[in-house]
Amino acid sequence: MNPFERIANRHQNLPKVDLTQGRSIAYSRSTTRRLMELIDANAHGNVHGGVIMRMVDEAAAIVAIKHSQCPTVVTARVERFDFLAPAFIGDVVSVHCEMCYVGRTSMEVGVEVMAEGLISGEVRHIASSYVIYVALDEKRKPTPVPPLVTADDTEKAIIERARMRRIHKQKIDEELKRAEEIQDR
């Protein structure tokens, strides 16, 4: 059996997800780490932004898959991606991810990226992002995901901030749509 058939077979007949059982932020929180090598950087020794972005997408997808218990999640939107400082060859880059908000089929994952100089021990916050994923069923259609529930006051604050970001983004989208309609007249 080739590896692709093995992957496809592994995701057949999965148990039904109980959508009444919410999950906390801590349930799916994840950190991914990797040593930055020559292939990851430009001629000046700075790690390419695209390398960091790929690491973020892969690490955040782990959180979305674990929360949804759905093997197929797709990146729907990168809400924000702020590069704050460079990473260099020889740094260990850590991508810390946690679920911030869950809709019916979508999930917002908050990401903080740190770079550590192994010799100096210096740890730098190099990037932050919010990535939105949608869970897909076997027909590649959006499928419901379990709700996000709070385990403590810290998680409650994270979810509330995400809810406020979402409301703000919806208002901006509505204003842009109205402006486009006016411009098209």
Side-chain angles (χ1 to χ4, degrees):
M1 175 181 304
N2 77 45
F4 299 108
E5 288 175 359
R6 192 171 310 128
I7 291 167
N9 290 340
R10 197 174 84 202
H11 292 136
Q12 289 179 353
N13 303 320
L14 291 172
K16 195 76 173 156
V17 176
D18 183 359
L19 296 175
T20 64
Q21 291 296 312
R23 292 177 176 69
S24 69
I25 290 172
Y27 173 81
S28 59
R29 188 176 283 134
S30 178
T31 297
T32 301
R33 300 177 60 145
R34 188 162 83 77
L35 179 67
M36 296 294 101
E37 299 177 342
L38 200 55
I39 194 167
D40 300 315
N42 61 26
H44 305 289
N46 294 10
V47 174
H48 289 289
V51 170
I52 302 297
M53 292 173 82
R54 179 179 178 160
M55 288 180 67
V56 164
D57 193 30
E58 291 172 348
I62 290 168
V63 172
I65 291 167
K66 186 166 183 181
H67 177 86
S68 66
Q69 292 186 313
C70 179
T72 307
V73 299
V74 292
T75 309
R77 171 186 261 167
V78 176
E79 194 66 34
R80 236 189 126 106
F81 208 113
D82 297 316
F83 288 99
L84 308 170
F88 304 104
I89 295 170
D91 284 346
V92 170
V93 170
S94 301
V95 183
H96 307 284
C97 304
E98 64 184 17
M99 190 64 64
C100 294
Y101 187 85
V102 172
R104 193 179 72 78
T105 63
S106 65
M107 299 162 281
E108 176 187 283
V109 179
V111 182
E112 183 178 79
V113 185
M114 308 298 283
E116 178 183 1
L118 290 178
I119 305 304
S120 69
E122 176 192 19
V123 177
R124 302 174 318 280
H125 183 187
I126 63 166
S128 294
S129 182
Y130 292 104
V131 188
I132 314 298
Y133 291 90
V134 173
L136 301 179
D137 64 15
E138 57 280 340
K139 295 177 184 164
R140 299 197 58 81
K141 301 291 182 202
T143 189
V145 298
L148 188 60
V149 296
T150 60
D152 56 32
D153 288 342
T154 302
E155 288 192 1
K156 186 175 183 177
I158 290 167
I159 294 168
E160 182 58 23
R161 279 193 307 274
R163 190 182 72 74
M164 295 305 293
R165 269 194 313 278
R166 183 179 171 98
I167 289 169
H168 184 69
K169 177 67 174 146
Q170 287 171 337
K171 286 180 184 176
I172 291 170
D173 287 346
E174 289 168 9
E175 288 175 17
L176 287 173
K177 186 176 179 181
R178 279 195 299 273
E180 288 172 358
E181 288 171 355
I182 291 170
Q183 189 177 14
D184 289 342
R185 290 184 193 168

